[in-house]
Amino acid sequence: MDEEKERGDAAAEPVPLRGPKGRWTGRAMSVLGCALAVVVLVGAGVWWFSPWEHMMGLHGAPPKAAGGVPFEGERFFRDVVDPVLAGGALVERHGRGVRAVDLGSGRTWWNLTRPGRATVASVWKVDDRRVAVAWTDRRLTVVDVPSGHRMHVELPDRSAAGGVMGTEKIRVGAGGLSGPGGRLLVAAVQDREVDAYDASSGRRAWRRPAPRGCFYHDALQDGIQSQTRLLSLDVDCLEYGGQAADYAYSTLLDSSGEPLPGFAHFPGGSLLPAGDHELLQDKNDDVKSNGYRLIDSRTGRTLWRVDQWSSSPAGGRDEVTAAAGQVVVTDQEGAQVALYRAADGRLLWRRNLGDSALLRAGMVIAGQVRVIEEEPPPIKVVTFTSTGGIEGEQDLPMFEGAGLPALAGGAYGALVVADTEPEPNGTHRPSVLLTARR
């Protein structure tokens, strides 16, 4: 009985690790513990610095198509930052990540974040259904808004150029280009470089550095208004030891990354798309404006010059914007709005809103001209008909006594009005999303 008990007690004891020579040793336990600690630390480090993403949502029906957004009156999101309208949804920075909000219901469709310290730096529109998300660690994620499908690339580190331009961080801008065979390219601009990637595979299609001593400035338009055929870049150049741009010009790249003939070193301000082949340019000399002109992108020839008829006693200039083959000229203090045809400069209509009116720059959105009227109160968005009549007005009570509204874009029957003068204690520039009045 004693022998059986001893055998049973021996079987119940834990079996220790056996050393290389068959001896029981505590050293193996110590090694195992250290290895486990290393694995945990490495795993934590990988998690902290990893490019992995976390997508929440994607339940229920996807955001509605462009023509299916119901009219539900005014919608106001004070915490909206960098709004982009794509795929029938509002995509915007939110907290440390980015989210898509259904325009019809206001419900958050999905929320994209990443573990670790990386946060969203900016959001840009690539095409009608995709957006590009630039992260603070130079990762670029392209998201198909309705499906949530994602593709990402790791952008080259251009931080060494920051000291040359006197900036602490390299700003990343992104936009869509229609490449060979209709494939979509995503162009990422980082001050001194442009890198274009295939939106499906993530393979780099081409790279174009800025000339020596120069860098790309205000590289892309607002993400709400995207140009998918050509890439318009402003180039600022510094002489050695200079603290500011000694000279500047514009350039226009095609889908291969090469400048269009005649546009490699084009004098003047930004070249913005106004129509199929028309470009709007502010002819400035960095000190004052010399007026606006429309340019043919196929030849570089000036088509016509914008008639400047500002009546401001202070000598101010008109605000000029263009889209969808039309050019809007707004005399802010003279309360006049005019619409021209981009191809030939034909005046389509002109409207005077009264001597007491104070206007902000107008914009062509969804084929209609809209202007913000600051005075007389209340502050409102005025929408014009195709002949210059007033189709409707929508008040902006959230700007009464605070902020400075400006039209930022629109799609799917919605407008985005940005606050260009947010409260001093605000960490981000808020925006307002409206559903357009019909």
Side-chain angles (χ1 to χ4, degrees), residues 132-341:
V133 180
W135 302 85
T136 52
D137 61 351
R138 301 185 311 278
R139 185 183 184 186
L140 188 71
T141 302
V142 179
V143 187
D144 182 83
V145 176
S147 68
H149 177 74
R150 303 179 300 285
M151 182 279 297
H152 74 268
V153 296
E154 304 300 328
L155 298 176
D157 186 359
R158 313 289 190 204
S159 58
V164 177
M165 271 71 76
T167 58
E168 295 181 0
K169 295 182 179 180
I170 297 298
R171 175 178 174 268
V172 178
L177 286 167
S178 297
R183 64 186 177 128
L184 181 66
L185 302 179
V186 180
V189 184
Q190 299 183 86
D191 281 356
R192 296 211 70 254
E193 304 280 350
V194 182
D195 299 277
Y197 302 89
D198 189 297
S200 299
S201 65
R203 295 177 181 173
R204 180 153 54 185
W206 50 264
R207 166 181 170 267
R208 185 168 188 86
R212 182 181 179 185
C214 304
F215 62 98
Y216 298 119
H217 178 67
D218 290 339
L220 297 169
Q221 301 175 73
D222 194 309
I224 299 171
Q225 304 286 339
S226 65
Q227 168 72 346
T228 59
R229 291 181 298 123
L230 301 172
L231 184 63
S232 176
L233 302 173
D234 294 346
V235 185
D236 287 351
C237 299
L238 309 175
E239 296 295 343
Y240 290 105
Q243 297 299 318
D246 293 304
Y247 62 96
Y249 61 91
S250 295
T251 188
L252 208 63
L253 305 182
D254 63 18
S255 58
S256 67
E258 296 298 321
L260 264 63
F263 287 94
H265 194 285
F266 201 82
S270 301
L271 294 164
L272 304 178
D276 292 336
H277 307 288
E278 296 82 29
L279 300 167
L280 174 68
Q281 184 183 45
D282 179 3
K283 284 283 293 175
N284 64 70
D285 57 5
D286 295 331
V287 178
K288 63 180 181 179
S289 173
N290 297 317
Y292 292 79
R293 62 177 175 173
L294 272 293
I295 302 164
D296 192 322
S297 63
R298 298 165 295 184
T299 63
R301 181 173 62 90
T302 297
L303 298 173
W304 58 280
R305 298 185 183 278
V306 177
D307 181 21
Q308 294 282 287
W309 32 266
S310 177
S311 59
S312 169
R317 61 191 181 97
D318 304 328
E319 293 291 336
V320 181
T321 58
Q326 297 177 319
V327 178
V328 181
V329 181
T330 308
D331 180 1
Q332 295 179 316
E333 297 190 21
Q336 295 186 80
V337 181
L339 183 68
Y340 295 86
R341 192 162 62 189

Side-chain angles (χ1 to χ4, degrees), residues 6 35 42 70 78-79 82 94 121-122 131 212 226 234 237 293 324-325 332 337 359 369 392 413 419 434:
E6 290 178 359
V42 170
R78 181 168 292 279
D79 62 343
D82 289 346
H94 181 67
S122 57
V131 298
R212 182 181 179 185
S226 65
D234 294 346
C237 299
R293 62 177 175 173
Q332 295 179 316
V337 181
L359 308 178
V369 175
D419 187 353
L434 318 167

Side-chain angles (χ1 to χ4, degrees), residues 26 29 33-34 71 90 99 121 150 168 189 200 221 249 262 299 318 348 350 360 400 406 411:
M29 292 293 293
C34 292
F71 173 64
L90 169 76
R99 68 179 179 182
R150 303 179 300 285
E168 295 181 0
V189 184
S200 299
Q221 301 175 73
Y249 61 91
T299 63
D318 304 328
L348 301 178
R350 179 178 295 185
R360 301 287 294 168
E400 294 296 338

Side-chain angles (χ1 to χ4, degrees), residues 53-108:
E53 298 172 337
H54 182 56
M55 175 75 82
M56 295 181 61
L58 290 177
H59 55 280
K64 297 178 175 63
V69 179
F71 173 64
E72 295 185 2
E74 179 181 292
R75 252 184 230 292
F76 175 41
F77 301 97
R78 181 168 292 279
D79 62 343
V80 170
V81 183
D82 289 346
V84 174
L85 296 171
L90 169 76
V91 182
E92 48 106 6
R93 280 197 289 157
H94 181 67
R96 296 173 56 87
V98 62
R99 68 179 179 182
V101 179
D102 192 310
L103 286 174
S105 64
R107 177 172 59 93
T108 297

